[in-house]
């Protein structure tokens, strides 16, 4: 058993100039506009329509037709915006060194700011008309009735909108509301001094966050990882009181806004937009905390396989086996449709079309944007940007983005424009489900025990970082906000105790703790930039685990029903509140079973891993 030597990251294929890459590996943006002249004509048309929309101000109370005209024009503007924006933005991402394209992209942003101003009158004006009147109009006009959910939801959100004086006061406060996050960014990024350290093995490293993560994920020497951890955390220890003061600013701001708008708590305020009950987050936290057994088993197994005397948070990212298999793009593309066989022939055919439609920009080239995304270009097709480098991670990234693209295709085709987009609350369901199906496919086919271990580790680490860590973060945010809601003091010590206590509650005796983990919270950008956001990764993961269970179930009838429900979810776009759409797909996030589905999934994977390492 040669499991003790962790793998080095495999080398990426050599970087090619863009014009040396074959066309079939590049996206074809001429399907959006044939050239920049056509783009410019659309830009001018968009500008004109924005002016037309501004001129409709004061017209809505004339009746159903006036409202319908405004809504239709708003849709036309929205559709044009997709194409005008993405043509420039995708072109820019091909090579971000291109200043001319960058300028065009910025022109679109300036036009969007104008559009926002020119349409700011619409919601307040509509809301002056009694909902009953608008409902009568919708009964009389079937074209207007299409907008029913959007209109009703606008009135629902109105509950927490204040009178003119109140709204003006709140808008005046918006200028300094972002100060805690701006100061956090300055302290943690612009002004930070990354230490250059010599690790015990003699390697010198400047500890940016990226370098630090790379050491944890690739350096087989535990003493090196420990040293990197200690030095990296010193950055936050040195100014932890400042971080605490800034985070207190975030908490106080959130509580101020929640109270000003008449919400019972900061969590209520954060969830109201999507109409999510607070029980969803509470249930998520409770079930994840009760389901830490497979998480602990995984860490104990890692400790044993890595042959470590003590096992720390800095030992949790290192690979378990040496493995450098390549996953060429063409091979993965050939297998991907087969991996979604469970979703039916139509779904597979749609996927073939995306794969063969010059919609994917596959390889890296100088100047290209890093990372990966799926861009939903309404009225055209979803485009995908990858930086494919033949690694297993790249193969799963393709499966993930393909989930987004399929969601886009089905939702755009099935919904009127107003509901074509989907919320973040649902967005990561198809992408993570697509990854889960691909994993299943790969596990069934592999005959190599090392590959099996790598696949299982990949899936388990996905659950650990996307589910458990994000729920722990959500738990931390909730506890910290509740301090402020209860009128309790917020200090670096108090925040450190909450974070450290959570680490212990999740990991028990499966890891050895370091005092410095008390300050880890200070680094997490989401805590400052987007409070109560990360829980959505975990709810998406839970939803997708529950769907996976139903889609791959034993009984044929149940399975077929589950497939139909899932495709209905993808086709539903944003036509209702996310909880309602998910419930119709068979996922009730307020129920313990849904969250337990992830715990069960992890349990099965850890058991498979235990089995695989004993075979290898
Ligand atoms: Zn995604």
């Amino acid at each position: 058993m040669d499991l003790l030597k962790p793998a080095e990251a495999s080398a990426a294929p050599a970087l090619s100039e863009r014009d040396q890459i074959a066309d079939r590996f590049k996206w074809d943006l001429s399907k959006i506009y044939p050239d920049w002249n056509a783009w410019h004509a659309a830009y001018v048309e968009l500008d004109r329509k924005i002016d037309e929309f501004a001129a409709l101000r004061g017209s809505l109370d004339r009746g159903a037709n006036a409202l319908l005209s405004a809504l239709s024009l708003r849709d036309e503007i929205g559709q044009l915006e997709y194409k005008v924006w993405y043509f420039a933005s995708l072109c820019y991402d091909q090579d971000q060194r291109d200043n001319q394209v960058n300028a065009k992209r910025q022109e679109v942003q300036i036009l969007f700011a104008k559009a926002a101003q020119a349409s700011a009158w619409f919601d307040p004006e509509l809301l002056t008309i009694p909902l009953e009147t608008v409902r009568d109009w919708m009964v009389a006009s079937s074209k207007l009735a299409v907008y029913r959910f959007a209109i009703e939801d606008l009135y629902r959100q109105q509950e927490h909108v204040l009178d003119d004086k109140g709204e003006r006061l709140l808008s005046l406060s918006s200028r300094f509301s972002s100060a805690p996050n701006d100061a956090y960014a300055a302290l943690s990024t612009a002004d930070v001094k990354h230490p250059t350290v010599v690790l015990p093995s003699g390697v010198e490293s400047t500890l940016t966050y990226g370098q630090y993560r790379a050491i944890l994920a690739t350096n087989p020497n535990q003493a090196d990882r420990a040293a990197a951890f200690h030095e990296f955390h010193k950055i936050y220890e040195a100014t932890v009181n400042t971080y605490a003061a800034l985070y207190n600013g975030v908490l106080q701001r959130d509580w101020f806004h929640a109270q000003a708008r008449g919400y019972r708590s900061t969590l209520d305020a954060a969830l109201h937009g999507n109409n999510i009950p607070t029980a969803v987050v509470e249930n998520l936290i409770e079930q994840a905390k009760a389901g830490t057994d497979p998480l602990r088993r995984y860490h104990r197994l890692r400790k044993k396989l890595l042959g470590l005397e003590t096992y720390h948070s800095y030992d949790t990212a290192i690979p378990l086996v040496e493995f450098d298999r390549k996953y060429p793009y063409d091979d993965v593309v050939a297998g991907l449709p087969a991996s979604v066989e469970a979703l039916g022939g139509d779904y597979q055919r749609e996927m073939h079309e995306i794969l063969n439609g010059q919609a994917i920009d596959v390889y890296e080239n100088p100047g290209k944007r890093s990372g990966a995304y799926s861009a939903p270009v309404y009225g055209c097709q979803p485009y995908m940007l990858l930086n494919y480098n033949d690694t297993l991670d790249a193969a799963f990234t393709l499966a993930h983005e393909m989930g987004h693209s399929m969601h886009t295709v089905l939702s755009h085709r099935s919904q009127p424009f107003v509901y074509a987009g989907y919320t973040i609350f649902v967005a990561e369901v198809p992408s993570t489900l697509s990854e889960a199906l691909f994993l299943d496919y790969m596990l069934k086919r592999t005959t190599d025990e090392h590959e099996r271990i790598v696949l299982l580790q990949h899936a388990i680490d996905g659950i650990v970082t996307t589910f458990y860590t994000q729920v722990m973060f959500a738990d931390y945010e909730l506890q910290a906000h509740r301090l402020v809601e209860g009128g309790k003091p917020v200090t670096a010590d108090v925040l450190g105790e909450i974070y450290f206590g959570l680490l212990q509650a999740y990991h028990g005796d499966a890891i050895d703790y370091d005092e410095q983990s008390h300050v880890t919270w200070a680094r997490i950008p989401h805590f400052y930039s987007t409070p109560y956001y990360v829980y959505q990764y975990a709810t998406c993961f839970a939803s997708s685990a529950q769907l996976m269970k139903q889609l791959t179930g034993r009984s044929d009838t149940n399975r077929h029903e589950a497939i139909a429900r899932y495709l209905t979810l993808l086709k539903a776009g944003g036509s209702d509140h996310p909880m309602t759409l998910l419930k119709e797909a068979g996922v009730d996030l307020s129920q313990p079973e849904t969250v337990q589905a992830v715990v069960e999934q992890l349990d099965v994977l850890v058991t498979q891993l235990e089995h695989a390492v004993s075979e290898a």
Side-chain angles (χ1 to χ4, degrees):
M1 187 165 90
D2 182 25
L3 296 174
L4 306 180
K5 269 197 283 167
E8 298 291 327
S10 55
L15 190 65
S16 304
E17 287 297 330
R18 191 165 178 83
D19 57 11
Q20 288 164 355
I21 298 171
D23 281 347
R24 68 185 188 93
F25 298 119
K26 289 186 285 193
W27 57 28
D28 174 12
L29 301 181
S30 74
K31 290 178 186 177
I32 309 177
Y33 294 118
D35 52 34
W36 283 105
N37 287 335
W39 173 84
H40 184 71
Y43 182 97
V44 171
E45 191 192 350
L46 176 58
D47 196 8
R48 183 174 53 73
K49 283 184 193 285
I50 290 168
D51 290 336
E52 271 175 42
F53 191 80
L56 293 180
R57 184 176 191 157
S59 70
L60 299 186
D61 62 359
R62 283 178 213 154
N65 282 339
L67 178 57
L68 181 61
S69 306
L71 288 166
S72 309
L73 183 56
R74 197 170 69 166
D75 286 357
E76 284 170 34
I77 291 171
Q79 292 178 31
L80 264 174
E81 281 179 340
Y82 267 99
K83 293 175 74 178
V84 169
W85 164 250
Y86 275 121
F87 187 74
S89 141
L90 298 181
C91 195
Y92 174 66
D93 286 349
Q94 282 173 192
D95 186 353
Q96 299 191 335
R97 299 168 303 180
D98 190 327
N99 277 245
Q100 278 185 325
V101 176
N102 190 13
K104 290 194 161 62
R105 187 176 141 274
Q106 290 184 30
E107 279 173 46
V108 185
Q109 287 170 327
I110 293 163
L111 191 60
F112 279 11
K114 178 184 164 180
Q117 273 182 5
S119 61
W121 60 272
F122 182 84
D123 287 357
E125 186 175 318
L126 178 57
L127 290 166
T128 61
I129 304 170
L131 178 57
E132 281 314 312
T133 308
V134 182
R135 280 185 178 147
D136 288 343
W137 294 349
M138 288 191 284
V139 171
S141 159
S142 61
K143 280 187 180 160
L144 191 60
V146 169
Y147 296 89
R148 183 180 302 277
F149 171 70
I151 290 172
E152 298 261 359
D153 199 50
L154 182 68
Y155 279 84
R156 181 187 67 84
Q157 309 239 18
Q158 175 67 3
E159 271 174 53
H160 295 276
V161 175
L162 307 182
D163 61 13
D164 286 354
K165 222 167 150 187
E167 284 299 320
R168 184 172 145 70
L169 259 176
L170 285 188
S171 77
L172 288 174
S173 80
S174 70
R175 299 284 170 89
F176 59 80
S177 282
S178 60
N181 184 43
D182 294 344
Y184 160 79
L187 180 65
S188 64
T189 311
D191 291 344
V192 75
K193 303 275 177 292
H194 294 292
T196 299
V197 297
V198 180
L199 300 175
S201 66
V203 178
E204 193 182 90
S205 178
T206 298
L207 292 177
T208 60
Y209 183 61
Q211 281 303 314
Y212 168 62
R213 290 303 306 174
I215 291 169
L216 262 45
T218 59
N219 192 318
N221 182 337
Q222 189 189 33
D224 279 1
R225 297 196 299 270
F229 174 88
H230 295 312
E231 294 302 324
F232 186 73
H233 277 71
K234 279 185 190 167
I235 300 172
Y236 299 94
E237 279 180 329
T239 45
V240 72
N241 294 303
T242 311
Y243 281 106
L246 293 173
Y247 191 50
N248 190 23
V250 171
L251 302 171
Q252 300 290 350
R253 176 203 62 197
D254 291 351
W255 185 218
F256 161 73
H257 279 281
Q259 290 182 101
R261 294 202 174 278
Y263 291 102
R264 280 185 297 134
S265 67
T266 50
L267 185 63
D268 271 289
L271 301 187
H272 185 256
N274 273 332
N275 206 17
I276 313 275
T278 52
V280 165
V281 175
E282 286 154 356
N283 177 42
L284 182 71
I285 290 171
E286 199 179 315
Q287 296 309 320
K289 252 186 186 155
T292 53
D293 183 60
L295 176 72
R296 295 176 189 193
R297 258 172 58 220
Y298 174 57
H299 285 304
R300 286 193 200 104
L301 180 64
R302 286 181 57 86
K303 179 181 178 180
K304 196 172 112 195
L305 294 174
L306 293 166
L308 297 173
E309 290 281 315
T310 59
Y311 179 81
H312 300 257
S313 58
Y314 47 80
D315 298 320
T316 56
I318 200 83
L320 293 171
V321 286
E322 213 168 331
F323 188 76
D324 58 4
R325 172 166 307 170
K326 299 276 183 275
Y327 293 85
Y329 180 74
D330 282 332
D331 292 358
V332 175
V333 161
L336 208 54
S339 75
V340 295
E341 202 189 341
L343 298 176
D346 286 346
Y347 191 94
Q348 288 179 299
R349 270 187 293 281
E350 296 283 1
M351 189 180 276
H352 268 292
E353 244 170 72
I354 297 178
L355 288 169
N356 301 313
Q358 282 195 279
I360 308 176
D361 212 67
V362 179
Y363 295 113
E364 191 183 5
N365 58 251
K368 182 169 163 176
R369 183 193 187 280
S370 61
Y373 62 67
S374 164
V377 188
Y378 190 87
C380 192
Q381 63 181 13
Y383 282 90
M384 231 183 279
L385 178 135
L386 304 174
N387 279 278
Y388 198 87
N389 62 1
D390 291 1
T391 59
L392 186 69
D393 277 351
F396 275 96
T397 300
L398 172 59
H400 179 103
E401 299 306 333
M402 185 54 86
H404 286 310
S405 289
M406 287 298 298
H407 193 187
T408 299
V409 166
L410 295 174
S411 144
H412 282 192
R413 184 182 306 150
S414 315
Q415 290 297 322
F417 177 73
V418 60
Y419 308 127
Y422 37 79
T423 59
I424 168 83
F425 199 84
V426 179
E428 295 302 336
V429 175
S431 54
T432 47
L433 187 75
S434 183
E435 281 193 74
L437 288 166
F438 186 62
L439 174 80
D440 230 31
Y441 168 81
M442 296 284 282
L443 279 175
K444 278 187 186 128
R445 281 168 37 116
T446 188
T447 49
D448 172 348
E449 285 309 311
H450 274 193
E451 185 182 44
R452 186 182 306 283
I453 291 166
V454 171
L455 286 166
L456 289 167
Q457 190 191 342
H458 177 93
I460 292 169
D461 288 345
I463 295 179
V464 172
T465 54
T466 317
F467 179 75
Y468 285 95
T469 304
Q470 304 307 331
V471 181
M472 199 182 86
F473 286 174
D475 202 342
Y476 173 84
E477 292 190 287
L478 188 59
Q479 291 191 39
H481 279 86
R482 281 182 176 167
L483 283 179
V484 166
E485 291 169 12
K488 304 232 171 65
V490 176
T491 63
D493 282 351
V494 171
L495 294 172
E497 282 309 318
I498 294 178
Y499 193 84
F500 201 81
L502 282 167
L503 278 181
Q504 290 175 315
Y506 277 70
H507 301 96
D509 61 0
I511 65 171
D512 296 291
Y513 297 93
D514 298 87
E515 274 303 305
Q516 282 181 299
S517 293
H518 278 95
V519 302
T520 304
W521 64 269
R523 189 199 61 78
I524 316 296
H526 278 107
F527 291 165
Y528 304 85
S529 64
T530 42
Y532 292 128
Y533 182 86
V534 296
Y535 82 93
Q536 300 181 101
Y537 294 120
T539 49
C540 283
F541 225 84
S543 308
S544 119
Q546 174 81 325
L547 286 162
M548 189 67 188
K549 210 166 116 183
Q550 298 168 2
L551 290 169
T552 53
R554 294 249 168 83
S555 135
D556 276 357
T557 348
N558 290 352
R559 215 174 49 236
H560 286 129
E561 282 169 12
I563 293 167
R565 283 198 305 265
Y566 177 62
L567 294 177
T568 306
L569 171 71
L570 299 191
K571 289 174 188 166
S575 60
D576 210 329
H577 292 123
M579 280 286 286
T580 313
L581 296 175
L582 284 166
K583 252 187 207 164
E584 282 164 9
V587 176
D588 185 347
L589 281 164
S590 62
Q591 294 306 308
E593 306 80 274
T594 310
V595 185
Q596 282 159 8
V598 193
V599 178
E600 284 166 29
Q601 208 178 44
L602 182 63
D603 189 62
V604 169
L605 289 166
V606 173
T607 305
Q608 286 181 335
L609 181 62
E610 286 164 345
H611 189 73
V613 293
S614 67
E615 301 279 302

